[in-house]
Amino acid sequence: MSRRRLLLGASAAAFLAAGCSAEKKRAPDESGAGRSGRGVAPSGALGANFNGDPRDLSFAQLRGLSAGWLRGFLPMREVGKGALERQRAVATLLDAHEQGYGTVLSLKFPYHERAFPAVGSALMDAELARVEKVASAVLDKVDILVIGNEPFIESRRAERGGPDLNVFYEHLAQHLVAYRKKHYAQGCRTRLYMGALNHLDDPAWRTAATRRWMEFVQDTREIEGVDIHPHVASLDAAQQYLDYVVPLLRADQRFLATEFSLVLDWSAHMRDRIPARFARRYGIDPDTRVWELLRSAVRNPFPERKWNAFLSMCPWFSRNRHYLADQVQRFRDTGKLAVATYGVAQAEAMVRDIGPDKRPWLLNSLYATRTVRRHADGEDGRTQAWFEDFRALQRRSDRRPVDTGTTDT
């Protein structure tokens, strides 16, 4: 098995073939909580995220991080193209579940180029059928299922203000709630959340549709909270997400932050010259721009020391070297965080066509899998600032997730 790929192992395949009744009991956490009973909801956990592509992720990396949670998303257009359990994101999360990780799966509905289907239409029925297929494969296996990935981005501009967007997602959620209640009458451990809100630091994105989104979350007993994706330029910008969402949650609800970063700050510096000290040390033309340096690192990966030297000498990165710790602390300080997840590895899409206007997502990753040479022992290179703070943020109770059982009564 490649260290940089997660494949559905034999144990997971046997589990899937046997069905839920033969589910392997998850190992207890340090507190002794096991699979019996309802358990408790996750609170303040920090895990790892691979988005839709787990090919650069390995369980060895997760062990190196002491991570106890893993998140990915499933593009719903992939449902129906072969066995769902062999789709990369789903297979990875089911395998992680078997190994004792807490798991979060977000359902991604791309409607960038088409209108939302009307309730009762053949197109809506087809969408509901896909949702049911996913539900049959993952309910009572993944710990958290998120309805929608980034709904207000993954839609046409004209529909972002609702109400068609709201009606579509509300109908999906209600159908999934009904499906879970029908097929898991004795209770289901999978918790349901509504998908992620974006750009809440911009007043133009705090609309009647986002307010209705939160009202639906608040009014629907079976929904346990909402996801947010604060990709921002500053901690204060991310605080505006919390100021908007937290007061609108019920007392028993929490929020997820399955993606977050300072990518908008990094973007503002792509045309900067590289640090003069770094240029002198490594014999590089001092007029080289940051984006050119990143492209060079992708084409010919750096030694880890050189990669981290570059980042530490960039003032815009260095002054934010503890961003991960600071942001997670703000999430936790609300008392409402369920799980936050942060990017593990530099996926192929991050390093394709690097230019001055491409979002530098690759700077966020814990492991620098595309910009740093692998070590002689086979270990992946690290972005040291993020890696060290991520490990320091892990808490004893997060390393082995407790049972996250729920009921529908």
Side-chain angles (χ1 to χ4, degrees):
M1 181 184 295
S2 169
R3 295 174 62 89
R4 298 179 67 176
R5 292 177 183 266
L6 283 172
L7 300 177
L8 188 61
S11 62
F15 161 72
L16 292 168
C20 186
S21 62
E23 177 178 322
K24 185 171 86 174
K25 188 172 182 178
R26 181 179 298 181
D29 72 339
E30 289 87 340
S31 69
R35 274 293 204 173
S36 60
R38 285 173 56 86
V40 295
S43 177
L46 174 63
N49 171 46
F50 61 79
N51 282 337
D53 187 357
R55 287 175 295 178
D56 281 278
L57 173 70
S58 73
F59 286 123
Q61 292 171 339
L62 299 183
R63 291 192 294 271
L65 291 162
S66 297
W69 284 80
L70 184 63
R71 178 261 179 179
F73 67 67
L74 170 65
M76 293 300 286
R77 63 177 177 268
E78 298 298 321
V79 178
K81 299 179 181 179
L84 183 61
E85 294 86 351
R86 298 190 181 280
Q87 198 279 342
R88 285 173 180 159
V90 175
T92 297
L93 291 173
L94 291 175
D95 202 2
H97 164 87
E98 277 292 279
Q99 297 196 37
Y101 292 88
T103 51
V104 183
L105 174 63
S106 301
L107 306 183
K108 181 185 179 79
F109 297 89
Y111 276 87
H112 307 86
E113 299 176 351
R114 51 180 176 157
F116 289 106
V119 173
S121 68
L123 290 175
M124 177 62 88
D125 290 344
E127 202 71 84
L128 295 177
R130 283 188 283 269
V131 168
E132 288 190 7
K133 186 170 184 178
V134 174
S136 69
V138 306
L139 283 183
D140 222 23
K141 300 180 182 68
V142 299
D143 294 279
I144 295 174
L145 186 62
V146 185
I147 303 160
N149 179 53
E150 293 181 333
F152 289 86
I153 289 180
E154 294 159 358
S155 59
R156 299 189 304 178
R157 185 180 300 273
E159 293 180 299
R160 291 175 185 169
D164 291 348
L165 180 151
N166 297 93
V167 170
F168 173 76
Y169 280 98
E170 288 168 11
H171 191 62
L172 291 178
Q174 290 162 346
H175 189 84
L176 185 54
V177 166
Y179 180 94
R180 187 179 67 166
K181 185 174 183 178
K182 177 181 178 181
H183 293 276
Y184 296 85
Q186 301 305 311
C188 177
R189 283 182 285 266
T190 300
R191 298 177 181 274
L192 302 180
Y193 280 72
M194 294 301 290
L197 299 178
N198 298 86
H199 300 307
L200 292 179
D201 52 321
D202 182 350
W205 284 72
R206 299 195 295 269
T207 65
T210 55
R211 181 73 182 201
R212 174 171 169 172
W213 191 272
M214 291 304 304
E215 289 171 350
F216 177 78
V217 168
Q218 186 180 69
D219 293 343
T220 307
R221 179 176 57 86
E222 298 85 354
I223 300 297
E224 302 204 22
V226 69
D227 194 3
I228 57 173
H229 284 181
H231 294 298
V232 292
S234 69
L235 285 169
D236 289 341
Q239 185 64 40
Q240 294 184 56
Y241 283 71
L242 302 178
D243 293 344
Y244 183 85
V245 165
V246 171
L248 297 176
L249 295 172
R250 297 191 312 260
D252 63 330
Q253 288 179 316
R254 299 178 186 272
F255 70 90
L256 307 171
T258 57
E259 296 181 29
F260 61 99
S261 76
L262 279 182
V263 70
L264 299 188
D265 192 6
W266 314 149
S267 294
H269 298 283
M270 289 301 99
R271 287 183 168 82
D272 292 1
R273 290 182 175 85
I274 62 173
R277 185 158 58 103
F278 178 81
R280 289 194 299 271
R281 178 181 297 182
Y282 290 98
I284 301 172
D285 183 346
D287 284 331
T288 301
R289 308 297 163 157
V290 169
W291 71 266
E292 293 175 314
L293 193 285
L294 296 180
R295 185 175 62 181
S296 175
V298 170
R299 290 176 174 175
N300 296 288
F302 291 176
E304 185 176 292
R305 182 186 299 272
K306 181 178 179 180
W307 174 249
N308 285 296
F310 165 67
L311 295 176
S312 68
M313 292 181 199
C314 290
W316 45 270
F317 189 94
S318 180
R319 64 174 171 259
N320 290 301
R321 63 189 178 278
H322 294 302
Y323 155 75
L324 180 57
D326 294 339
Q327 184 62 83
V328 171
Q329 190 59 53
R330 288 205 186 192
F331 289 155
R332 288 174 172 170
D333 284 347
T334 66
K336 284 287 196 177
L337 174 66
V339 182
T341 58
Y342 195 74
V344 183
Q346 297 167 332
E348 193 277 333
M350 296 180 184
V351 301
R352 188 189 308 130
D353 302 324
I354 289 180
D357 298 315
K358 181 181 176 68
R359 287 278 169 84
W361 300 104
L362 76 169
L363 293 178
N364 296 329
S365 302
L366 297 162
Y367 285 96
T369 49
R370 302 277 179 163
T371 56
V372 172
R373 299 172 193 166
R374 304 186 81 187
H375 298 294
D377 62 2
E379 294 294 326
D380 288 306
R382 306 165 178 175
T383 297
Q384 206 63 38
W386 305 148
F387 190 93
E388 291 177 355
D389 277 359
F390 187 97
R391 282 183 54 90
L393 288 162
Q394 295 303 307
R395 302 175 306 185
R396 183 176 174 84
S397 61
D398 295 334
R399 293 179 187 171
R400 273 293 187 184
V402 298
D403 173 46
T404 55
T406 66
T407 65
D408 293 300
T409 59

